Amino acid sequence: MKKIATLLSALAVSASAALPVSAAPAASDEAKVEKPAHFKLYGFIRNYFAFDTRESKAGTGDLFYYTPLDNKYNANGDDLNAQASFRFLSLTSRVGLDVTGYQIGRTKFGAKIETDFYSGLTNSSTSSNKINGTAQLRLRQAYVTIGWDDMKMKNGTPVAVAMKIGQAWHPMAADQPHVFSLETGAPFNAFSRTPQVLADANFGKNVMLSAAAIWQMQYMSQGPAGASAEYIKYSCVPEFYLGLTLKSNNGFLARVGTNLLSIKPRRLGVDSKGVDVKVSDRLTTMSPYLYLQYKNRLFEVKAKTIFSHGGEHMNLMSGYGISEKCDDGHYEYTPFKTTSTWASMSYGKKWQVMLMGGYIKNLGTVDKLVNTDGVVNKADFYFSGNTDKTFAGMWRVIPSVAYNIGKFTLGLEYNYTAARFGNGVFNEHGLSTGGRHNVENHRVQMMVKFAF
């Protein structure tokens, strides 16, 4: 708990140091002016046509692509997962409402609510794995904004402060590569929209400091009960984020940041005497990242690397495991280390050419997992549900081209993904190093989209 308190204190001090000295406008100032809000409805109709050469782990009607499935041989030596498939769906069509311009005194307010048709379409548990259901509306984003443009530091430096409260993109997922596929670079890129309180302090046009307190909803940590928000609920500590953005006047942008997550995988256990007890289980992790961007007219290049400890709650290929089982019934935990890196470029407007490449490496756990003679039971560690626990790494290349006519876009994309798996025997750091082999999938995807 001392380590947790120290880390949280450091984040709090760093965030508070960035806050302006002058407070929000006085009540007498706010009463002088009230400006009405403006409403803008937006959205798009989007259709995907996707063909895969192999059975794969994917969500949202198999459009949100993760990894090809590992080999599954029958008695005849046939790989049952070497099966081509095709789908055509429009359930990712979206509608949203932006509220801007509302102001009382010098305090500006805004809001966004956004939905799409992701929910309701599920895979059945039958052997035929049929896709059942009709797409239904689900909450995508819903937040309010509060801002002040004319605050100042003690030394007179002007500062613009903006707050976002509600469900929005996780700060580590907001910068995305040049692709039009639904997963937008995941799992090489973090992917999560989640409840949060985010504060951005802009010091002029070139420096911004961000701090956030974040909760879990749709995208959750793994644990003994599978993916669940229970682990952060009983932790009673939100996830924290701190980031710094630097901008130049000639198209360069750099962002560095980290998140701190503290979860409680179990709240009840059994001690060495067989008595049910409340336990002090806790895992605290920190995942730093670096993002770079350059833009010059119709050309843009981006790159991001994340060194995650855990991070499966952001759709990263990681997790954690049990490092010690204590006599009083509580467990000690250790996270997996994973590097996730991607780079992408884009050129053009009417005809837009894009290219993305990504690489993930599973480095194993920080400390040794509980084991018997160096062999770990896979039930003693928890990994991303978007792949197999034998996952060792993955790379992906996506060239794509889009034709844009006003609000209409026609895109064609090729996705080559190769994942590396082991034989299912795990060493003391949770790695399956024996029988390493690659499994490949080729996805060809077309998109038709009309925005309004």
Side-chain angles (χ1 to χ4, degrees), residues 131-159:
I131 295 177
N132 296 323
T134 299
Q136 302 169 2
L137 283 173
R138 61 101 184 233
L139 180 68
R140 183 177 165 86
Q141 296 191 83
Y143 59 80
V144 298
T145 60
I146 308 172
W148 300 272
D149 293 335
D150 53 357
M151 304 183 78
K152 293 184 178 180
M153 301 291 289
K154 282 183 178 179
N155 60 5
T157 302
V159 181

Side-chain angles (χ1 to χ4, degrees), residues 47 66 75 148 152 157 220 229 234 270 280 368 394 440 448:
N47 292 273
Y66 291 112
W148 300 272
K152 293 184 178 180
T157 302
M220 302 165 290
Y234 288 101
V270 180
S280 59
K368 293 181 180 180
M394 184 168 68
E440 303 174 346
V448 178

Side-chain angles (χ1 to χ4, degrees), residues 65-68 185-188 317 339-342 356-362 391-398 415-421 436-442:
Y65 191 79
Y66 291 112
T67 63
F188 303 87
M317 295 301 198
T339 60
S340 304
T341 302
W342 60 262
M356 175 207 158
Y359 178 72
I360 300 173
K361 178 68 173 178
N362 180 4
F391 177 86
M394 184 168 68
W395 52 94
R396 177 174 295 170
V397 178
I398 307 180
N415 178 326
Y416 170 76
T417 300
R420 192 162 179 80
F421 298 100
R436 290 279 177 89
H437 57 280
N438 295 335
V439 178
E440 303 174 346
N441 180 63
H442 303 267

Side-chain angles (χ1 to χ4, degrees), residues 169-175 192 194 196 198 212 214 241 255 289 304:
W169 282 104
H170 191 292
M172 289 179 64
D175 300 305
S192 173
T194 191
Q196 61 189 274
L198 172 68
I214 304 168
Y241 169 84
R255 199 183 329 272
Y289 81 101
K304 182 190 286 187

Side-chain angles (χ1 to χ4, degrees), residues 122-132:
T122 59
N123 289 337
S124 71
S125 59
T126 63
S127 59
S128 60
N129 200 34
K130 294 186 298 182
I131 295 177
N132 296 323

Side-chain angles (χ1 to χ4, degrees), residues 9-287:
S9 298
L11 286 177
V13 170
S14 300
S16 62
L19 293 178
V21 172
S22 58
S28 58
D29 294 329
E30 293 182 349
K32 293 178 181 178
V33 178
E34 180 175 356
K35 296 181 180 179
H38 303 281
F39 301 87
K40 180 182 178 182
L41 183 70
Y42 68 92
F44 53 75
I45 309 300
R46 182 168 60 183
N47 292 273
Y48 281 112
F49 304 76
F51 170 80
D52 290 302
T53 60
R54 183 176 186 82
E55 294 280 15
S56 298
K57 181 69 176 181
T60 316
D62 290 341
L63 294 177
F64 196 111
Y65 191 79
Y66 291 112
T67 63
L69 294 182
D70 196 5
N71 299 324
K72 182 180 180 182
Y73 295 108
N74 63 11
N76 298 325
D78 298 323
D79 182 2
L80 301 181
N81 285 330
Q83 175 65 53
S85 63
F86 178 79
R87 80 273 313 143
F88 165 32
L89 295 168
S90 58
L91 57 86
T92 64
S93 296
R94 187 180 306 165
V95 64
L97 179 68
D98 281 330
V99 183
T100 59
Y102 184 72
Q103 184 172 340
I104 300 179
R106 292 179 291 171
T107 305
K108 297 180 179 180
F109 297 88
K112 177 191 284 288
I113 185 164
E114 185 178 82
T115 183
D116 62 14
F117 295 86
Y118 163 81
S119 297
L121 196 65
T122 59
N123 289 337
S124 71
S125 59
T126 63
S127 59
S128 60
N129 200 34
K130 294 186 298 182
I131 295 177
N132 296 323
T134 299
Q136 302 169 2
L137 283 173
R138 61 101 184 233
L139 180 68
R140 183 177 165 86
Q141 296 191 83
Y143 59 80
V144 298
T145 60
I146 308 172
W148 300 272
D149 293 335
D150 53 357
M151 304 183 78
K152 293 184 178 180
M153 301 291 289
K154 282 183 178 179
N155 60 5
T157 302
V159 181
V161 176
M163 293 188 65
K164 182 183 294 183
I165 305 171
Q167 176 155 314
W169 282 104
H170 191 292
M172 289 179 64
D175 300 305
Q176 300 173 344
H178 299 97
V179 289
F180 62 73
S181 52
L182 187 61
E183 68 274 6
T184 58
F188 303 87
N189 190 45
F191 189 101
S192 173
R193 289 180 302 274
T194 191
Q196 61 189 274
V197 177
L198 172 68
D200 293 324
N202 289 274
F203 301 85
K205 297 181 179 180
N206 303 111
V207 180
M208 181 176 74
L209 184 64
S210 302
I214 304 168
W215 207 244
Q216 293 183 12
M217 194 180 76
Q218 180 181 356
Y219 305 98
M220 302 165 290
S221 297
Q222 289 285 340
S228 174
E230 293 285 295
Y231 314 126
I232 194 171
K233 170 184 175 182
Y234 288 101
S235 167
C236 299
V237 179
E239 176 184 354
F240 290 97
Y241 169 84
L242 185 66
L244 173 67
T245 301
L246 301 175
K247 302 177 183 178
S248 73
N249 296 325
N250 56 359
F252 285 98
L253 181 148
R255 199 183 329 272
V256 62
T258 188
N259 80 311
L260 184 146
L261 177 68
S262 186
I263 60 173
K264 192 176 177 66
R266 300 184 312 150
R267 61 186 186 277
L268 300 174
V270 180
D271 66 15
S272 59
K273 299 178 182 179
V275 178
D276 292 336
V277 294
K278 292 188 291 185
V279 295
S280 59
D281 291 28
R282 184 174 292 274
L283 171 73
T284 301
T285 58
M286 186 174 285
S287 300

Side-chain angles (χ1 to χ4, degrees), residues 1-4 224 263-266 269 279-285 319-336 365-371 376 379-382 428:
M1 288 300 293
K2 290 183 179 180
K3 292 182 178 179
I4 299 170
I263 60 173
K264 192 176 177 66
R266 300 184 312 150
V279 295
S280 59
D281 291 28
R282 184 174 292 274
L283 171 73
T284 301
T285 58
Y320 63 95
I322 303 168
S323 58
E324 185 179 359
K325 296 182 178 180
C326 303
D327 290 341
D328 63 359
H330 93 273
Y331 293 169
E332 296 290 334
Y333 300 90
T334 181
F336 277 84
T365 55
V366 174
D367 300 318
K368 293 181 180 180
L369 297 168
V370 291
N371 64 85
V376 170
D380 287 331
F381 68 92
Y382 317 106
E428 55 196 8

